[in-house]
């Protein structure tokens, strides 16, 4: 239709105002073929519009689309305008023409005043899905939103709504999914008539400021309620001892994390259909009752409490169907389960970190055939681990064993872990030669073709850094700091393609060899590692002259080569490293003038002290001080730059949340 094509072209002009470039691929007369547009096959009229994240982010002004233009699409059923800096519609009442509109998604925009969305009573009679999440909505829920009485899904999370939940929402009797999380609601939950929402299936009220006493009895008549989240409402007083029966409630997913619970709610004992239960970050004490291990059939999270006792078991050691178990950050103690593969045979994710477990890691852990993530860090485990990684664990992706007292000989060779991405073995006692002891035999290529993160910080390792590490082409983070390594830095690190490939820019790229006994010069090949974010070679015995080639590492945010024996000058081109947040060349034998400009104006004297020949701001020395250059070595040209990396665990945090979210997504994902 000509009027629809003309309306689309006007919307294009509007979304690009004043100088955007969206929809540059639009050409031809048939607008049904244009990007983001779908048409009804029989009528050839526009039926769906998906204009998500199309407004150029460099356009600082908010966008106020004219609702009159969208009113031209009489057969429009789906309108998605996510992430376009929309602050509201002009002439919003014109949307009443969209009698067939079923879905309206305005997520991730800049709407503050919801009155811009008031399209009139009785308008949009077919609308069943409305998403206004991640905007800047202020104040109370506007009553005009309640005019859409046939709404089934209303999503308002990540706004600035406060006060009480508008009573008019209770008139939306068709509502099945309501998400008010991450706002600032502060009234009592008991004042809202939830019983007027007989169709509600999913209710998400987490991360607000609800106050007062709260009893689960307010949901007693909601027979269809299966997914309930009230997490992180620290001012709520949850009633846990009520003996009231809830025969009509059969929850499948329940999240009560961060609610200051000191006791388990009594009604949980009758919830036999629970697939997911999250009780994390509360004040629970004592043992986990065996019935709880039985009632939560898929995922159970109790991290961050004061729970104690031996490793939890099911009643009578009956096999559990749990796929995800998180008991981390509690006070559990004693040995790990000797028969864990029989009690929890379906586990995909297990975290028991930061407890008081002792003894060795039983061989039964190596028989968890489906396990993808294992975190036993922060305990008192000791002994060898050669029985842990067996051919049965071919699904393992994440292994966290840091901060224990583990030691031992080489792991079995000729094993294949094609999916293992992260190994954290920091702060253990793998004393011995780097080539012969625990970590390195495992790393023989092609055992770990997908390895992304390897941290062996503080493991008392000795010997040289083996060259075959350079075969780990996907490696993003290598932390060998605080060991007793000696010899030269390998000159083959440029073979690790991920360190020179920008296509994985969403991950940290880190090389930390600090606090060892490394000698020689910094290989020139390190200047090819253009994807590096952090380079730390500090506290070694490196010798040589700084090279201007180091300035090729333009993505560096942290560069630390302090406490070595480096000499030469800091060339002015170092100021091209405009992302530097940490820069330290202190306690070397550098000379000349400190570069001026850009980030170098932010570094204080501690970045340069201990170099008698350096002068200029922020040091107080005058120019012209001469320092005797040590003779150049025959090794490679020395490059040095690094950044102090606080234990360097930050990149690994990028991975465990991914694991958590993968399984969390299963329970909390009622996403549309």
């Amino acid at each position: 239709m000509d009027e629809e094509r003309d309306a689309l072209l006007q919307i294009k002009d509007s979304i690009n105002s004043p100088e955007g470039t969206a929809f540059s691929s639009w050409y031809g007369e048939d607008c049904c073929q244009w990007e983001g547009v779908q048409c009804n096959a029989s009528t050839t009229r526009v039926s769906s519009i998906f204009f998500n994240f199309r407004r150029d982010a460099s356009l600082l002004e908010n966008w106020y689309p004219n609702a009159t233009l969208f009113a031209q699409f009489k057969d429009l059923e789906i309108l998605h305008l996510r992430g376009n800096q929309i602050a509201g519609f002009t002439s919003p009442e014109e949307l009443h023409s969209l009698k067939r509109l079923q879905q309206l998604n305005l997520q991730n925009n800049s709407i503050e005043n919801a009155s811009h969305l008031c399209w009139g009573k009785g308008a949009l009679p077919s609308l069943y899905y409305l998403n206004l999440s991640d905007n800047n909505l202020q104040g109370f829920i506007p009553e005009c939103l309640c005019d859409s009485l046939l709404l089934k899904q209303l999503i308002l999370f990540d706004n600035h709504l406060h006060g009480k939940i508008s009573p008019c929402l209770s008139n939306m009797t068709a509502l099945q999914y309501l998400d008010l999380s991450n706002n600032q609601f502060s009234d009592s939950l008991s004042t809202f008539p939830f019983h007027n929402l007989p169709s509600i299936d999913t209710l998400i009220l987490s991360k607000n400021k609800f106050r007062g006493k709260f009893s689960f009895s307010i949901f007693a008549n909601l027979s269809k309620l299966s997914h309930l989240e009230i997490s992180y409402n620290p001012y709520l007083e949850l009633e846990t001892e009520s003996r009231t029966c809830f025969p009509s409630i059969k929850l499948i997913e329940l999240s009560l994390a961060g609610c200051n619970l000191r006791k388990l709610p009594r009604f949980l004992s009758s919830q036999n259909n629970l697939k997911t239960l999250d009780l994390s970050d509360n004040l629970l004490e004592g043992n986990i009752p065996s019935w709880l291990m039985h009632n939560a059939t898929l995922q159970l999270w109790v991290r961050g409490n004061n729970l104690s006792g031996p490793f939890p078991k099911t009643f009578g050691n009956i096999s559990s169907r749990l796929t995800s178990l998180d008991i981390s950050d509690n006070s559990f103690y004693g040995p790990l389960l000797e028969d864990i593969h029989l009690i929890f045979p379906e586990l995909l994710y297990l975290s028991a970190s930061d407890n008081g477990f002792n003894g060795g890691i039983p061989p039964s852990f190596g028989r968890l055939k489906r396990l993808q993530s294992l975190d036993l860090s922060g305990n008192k485990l000791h002994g060898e681990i050669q029985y842990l990684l067996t051919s049965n664990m071919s699904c393992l992706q994440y292994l966290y064993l840091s901060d224990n007292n583990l030691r031992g000989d080489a792991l079995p060779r000729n094993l294949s872990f094609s999916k293992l991405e992260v190994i954290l073995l920091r702060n253990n006692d793998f004393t011995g030669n780097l080539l012969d002891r625990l970590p390195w035999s495992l790393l023989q290529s092609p055992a770990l073709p997908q390895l992304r993160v390897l941290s062996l910080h503080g493991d008392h390792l000795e010997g040289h850094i083996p060259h075959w590490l350079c075969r780990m082409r996907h490696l993003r983070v290598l932390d060998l700091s605080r060991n007793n390594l000696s010899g030269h830095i390998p000159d083959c690190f440029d073979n690790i393609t991920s360190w020179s490939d920008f296509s994985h820019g969403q991950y940290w790229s880190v090389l930390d060899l600090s606090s060892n006994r490394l000698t020689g010069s910094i290989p020139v090949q390190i200047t090819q590692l253009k994807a590096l974010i952090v380079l730390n070679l500090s506290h070694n015995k490196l010798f040589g002259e700084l090279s201007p080639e180091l300035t090729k590492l333009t993505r560096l945010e942290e560069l630390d080569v302090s406490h070595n024996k480096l000499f030469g000058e800091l060339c002015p081109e170092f100021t091209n490293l405009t992302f530097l947040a940490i820069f330290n060349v202190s306690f070397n034998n550098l000379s000349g003038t400190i570069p001026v400009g850009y980030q170098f104006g932010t570094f204080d004297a501690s970045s340069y002290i201990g170099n008698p020949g350096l002068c200029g701001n922020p040091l107080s020395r005058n120019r012209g001080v001469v320092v005797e250059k040590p003779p150049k070595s025959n090794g490679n040209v020395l490059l040095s730059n690094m950044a102090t990396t606080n234990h360097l665990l930050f990149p690994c945090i990028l991975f465990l949340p991914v694991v958590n979210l993968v399984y969390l997504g299963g329970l909390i994902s009622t996403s549309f």
Side-chain angles (χ1 to χ4, degrees):
M1 297 293 182
D2 290 342
E3 66 269 20
E4 292 189 341
R5 182 171 57 252
D6 292 342
L8 286 170
L9 292 173
Q10 291 182 64
I11 293 171
K12 174 184 176 180
D13 291 340
S14 176
I15 201 172
N16 284 325
S17 178
E19 296 178 346
T21 59
F23 307 119
S24 58
S25 63
W26 283 7
Y27 62 90
E29 292 294 315
D30 186 1
C31 62
C32 294
Q33 303 299 317
W34 291 355
E35 175 190 5
V37 179
Q38 294 181 6
C39 296
N40 184 296
S42 58
T43 66
T44 69
R45 296 187 69 99
V46 174
S47 60
S48 302
I49 291 178
F50 299 96
F51 292 172
N52 296 321
F53 299 97
R54 302 311 304 171
R55 184 167 171 83
D56 197 324
S58 64
L59 301 177
L60 301 180
E61 303 89 349
N62 286 328
W63 182 36
Y64 290 87
N66 190 337
T68 305
L69 298 176
F70 292 96
Q72 304 302 313
F73 309 111
K74 306 300 183 184
D75 288 354
L76 191 64
E77 297 177 355
I78 300 175
L79 177 57
H80 286 200
L81 298 172
R82 296 172 53 207
N84 288 307
Q85 300 168 251
I86 295 174
F89 288 91
T90 59
S91 304
E93 67 281 357
E94 293 297 323
L95 293 178
H96 76 276
S97 300
L98 301 178
K99 303 297 184 183
R100 299 188 179 185
L101 189 65
Q102 300 175 17
Q103 300 179 25
L104 178 57
N105 191 337
L106 298 173
Q107 183 183 7
N108 196 14
N109 279 293
S110 304
I111 303 171
E112 295 185 9
N113 187 348
S115 64
H116 286 288
L117 304 171
C118 294
W119 36 74
K121 195 173 184 66
L124 307 181
S126 301
L127 191 69
Y128 71 82
Y129 173 87
L130 177 60
N131 190 340
L132 299 174
S133 62
D134 199 9
N135 276 277
N136 295 315
L137 291 173
Q138 309 283 335
F140 300 98
I141 297 175
E143 294 204 4
C144 67
L145 289 182
C146 301
D147 292 336
S148 303
L149 297 180
L150 298 181
L151 267 183
K152 294 182 179 179
Q153 301 185 49
L154 178 59
I155 305 171
L156 297 174
F157 69 82
D158 281 349
N159 280 289
H160 303 287
L161 299 168
H162 60 75
K164 64 181 181 180
I165 302 175
S166 178
C168 74
L169 288 183
S170 64
N171 297 327
M172 305 171 71
T173 56
L175 205 58
Q176 299 175 4
Y177 185 104
L178 177 61
D179 189 346
L180 303 178
S181 61
N182 207 12
N183 279 283
Q184 300 176 35
F185 293 110
S186 56
D187 199 22
S188 171
L189 275 177
S190 60
T191 62
F192 183 82
F194 287 103
H195 60 272
N196 287 348
L197 302 177
S199 301
I200 199 73
D201 169 83
T202 298
L203 183 59
I204 305 177
L205 305 172
S206 300
K207 296 184 179 178
N208 279 287
K209 300 178 181 178
F210 292 115
R211 298 176 179 274
K213 291 187 177 181
F214 165 77
S215 171
F216 290 96
S217 62
I218 65 175
F219 305 126
N221 296 324
L222 303 181
S223 60
K224 296 184 179 180
L225 184 63
S226 65
H227 183 155
L228 177 61
E229 291 185 42
I230 317 177
S231 294
Y232 301 104
N233 278 286
Y235 306 113
L236 268 184
E237 298 179 46
L238 270 67
E239 183 178 302
T240 59
E241 293 301 312
S242 173
R243 297 181 180 275
T244 307
C245 293
F246 304 96
S248 60
I249 293 182
K250 292 298 180 182
L251 295 176
I252 294 176
E253 300 173 358
L254 175 62
S255 180
L256 299 175
C259 288
N260 293 322
L261 284 174
R262 294 181 179 273
K263 294 182 179 180
L264 292 174
R266 183 182 293 271
F267 91 101
L268 283 180
S269 61
S270 65
Q271 297 298 305
N272 300 319
N273 295 330
L274 277 175
K275 290 185 177 179
T276 298
L277 178 60
D278 188 358
L279 298 171
S280 303
D281 300 324
N282 280 294
L283 302 171
L284 299 173
E285 298 180 343
N287 296 320
I288 297 179
S290 57
W291 60 260
L292 188 63
M293 304 294 293
H294 173 75
N295 285 14
T297 60
L298 196 63
Q299 297 165 316
L300 175 62
W301 300 312
V302 294
R303 69 177 181 274
N305 282 282
N306 297 317
L307 297 166
S308 58
F311 199 102
K313 292 184 178 182
T314 56
F315 181 75
N317 291 344
I318 299 173
S319 291
S320 167
R321 290 177 291 167
L322 280 177
T323 61
S324 179
L325 176 61
D326 189 346
I327 60 172
S328 61
D329 196 13
N330 280 284
S331 299
F332 293 107
Y333 56 81
L336 298 173
L337 291 182
E338 292 286 348
D339 52 356
I340 192 170
H341 67 297
L342 299 177
I343 299 177
F344 299 107
E346 304 297 322
L347 277 181
L348 302 176
Y349 169 80
L350 173 60
S351 179
S353 63
D354 297 309
N355 281 286
F357 293 116
N358 55 29
I361 302 177
S364 59
F365 277 74
R367 302 188 187 115
L368 293 170
K369 297 181 180 181
R370 303 184 63 199
L371 196 65
Q372 297 177 11
S373 177
L374 175 62
D375 188 352
L376 300 176
S377 57
N379 283 287
K380 301 175 183 178
L381 302 173
H382 58 78
E384 302 180 358
I385 64 173
Q386 66 264 39
Y387 300 111
L388 174 60
L389 295 178
T390 69
S391 57
N392 290 326
M393 303 186 74
S394 58
C395 295
L396 194 65
Q397 297 179 44
Y398 307 93
L399 177 63
Y400 306 90
L401 299 176
S402 298
D403 300 304
N404 283 288
N405 297 309
L406 298 170
R407 55 180 174 76
D409 294 325
L411 289 172
R413 299 174 184 267
N414 302 319
L415 294 181
S416 177
F417 292 91
S418 60
K419 297 181 180 179
L420 194 57
E421 295 185 17
V422 178
I423 298 178
L424 296 188
L425 302 178
R426 301 159 51 87
N427 297 325
N428 280 286
D429 193 21
F430 298 124
T431 306
N433 188 285
L434 198 54
L435 291 171
D436 299 330
R437 303 292 285 192
L438 164 67
W440 305 108
S441 61
L442 172 64
L443 297 174
Q444 297 285 347
S445 180
L448 301 170
Q450 299 300 322
L451 193 65
R452 304 294 199 273
V453 177
L454 174 62
S455 178
L456 300 171
H457 166 100
D459 279 332
H460 306 286
L461 295 170
E462 301 174 354
H464 295 178
I465 299 175
H467 280 68
W468 51 257
L469 264 181
C470 301
R471 303 174 191 167
M472 318 302 292
R473 298 187 181 276
H474 297 291
L475 199 63
R476 306 296 301 186
V477 176
L478 177 60
D479 182 4
L480 304 179
S481 59
R482 295 189 180 277
N483 283 290
N484 295 310
L485 302 175
S486 58
H488 292 188
I489 297 173
D491 58 4
C492 58
F493 278 148
D494 56 332
N495 291 334
I496 301 177
T497 54
S498 59
W499 280 345
S500 56
D501 181 6
F502 290 96
S503 63
H504 299 90
Q506 69 270 31
Y507 297 118
W508 280 81
S509 296
V510 176
L511 175 59
D512 190 347
L513 306 179
S514 62
S515 299
N516 281 287
R517 295 182 291 133
L518 299 172
T519 57
S521 62
I522 302 174
V524 68
Q525 288 82 1
I526 284 185
T527 62
Q528 305 301 316
L529 310 183
K530 297 180 181 180
L532 279 185
I533 301 293
V534 173
L535 177 61
N536 194 338
L537 305 177
S538 63
H539 294 272
N540 279 288
K541 299 179 180 180
L542 297 173
F543 180 89
E545 188 172 10
L546 288 175
S547 166
E549 295 294 302
L550 198 59
T551 60
K552 293 179 178 179
L553 306 181
T554 56
R555 299 189 69 208
L556 278 181
E557 297 181 17
E558 300 184 18
L559 175 59
D560 191 346
V561 291
S562 62
H563 294 271
N564 280 290
K565 300 178 180 180
L566 306 176
F567 58 85
E569 298 186 358
L570 294 174
C571 67
E573 288 78 13
F574 274 106
T575 59
N576 294 333
L577 303 179
T578 56
F579 291 111
L580 277 183
I582 298 175
F583 179 71
N584 196 343
V585 294
S586 61
F587 297 100
N588 280 286
N589 200 16
L590 301 174
S591 59
T593 303
I594 295 172
V596 177
Y598 297 107
Q599 298 297 94
F600 277 74
T602 67
F603 305 133
D604 59 26
S606 64
S607 295
Y608 307 102
I609 60 174
N611 290 283
L614 273 183
C615 59
N617 287 327
L619 298 178
S620 57
R621 300 190 192 95
N622 295 324
R623 302 187 182 192
V625 177
V626 177
V627 103
E628 183 179 354
K629 280 188 178 181
K632 289 187 178 181
S633 69
N634 294 327
N636 292 323
V637 178
L638 180 98
L639 321 158
S640 52
N641 321 34
M642 288 305 284
T644 308
T645 51
N646 277 333
H647 300 304
L648 202 48
L649 256 182
F650 51 82
C652 309
I653 297 173
L654 296 176
F655 290 90
L656 186 53
V658 169
V659 178
N660 280 323
L661 286 173
V662 166
Y663 303 110
L664 251 173
L667 24 151
I668 302 177
S669 80
T670 344
S671 54
F672 184 74

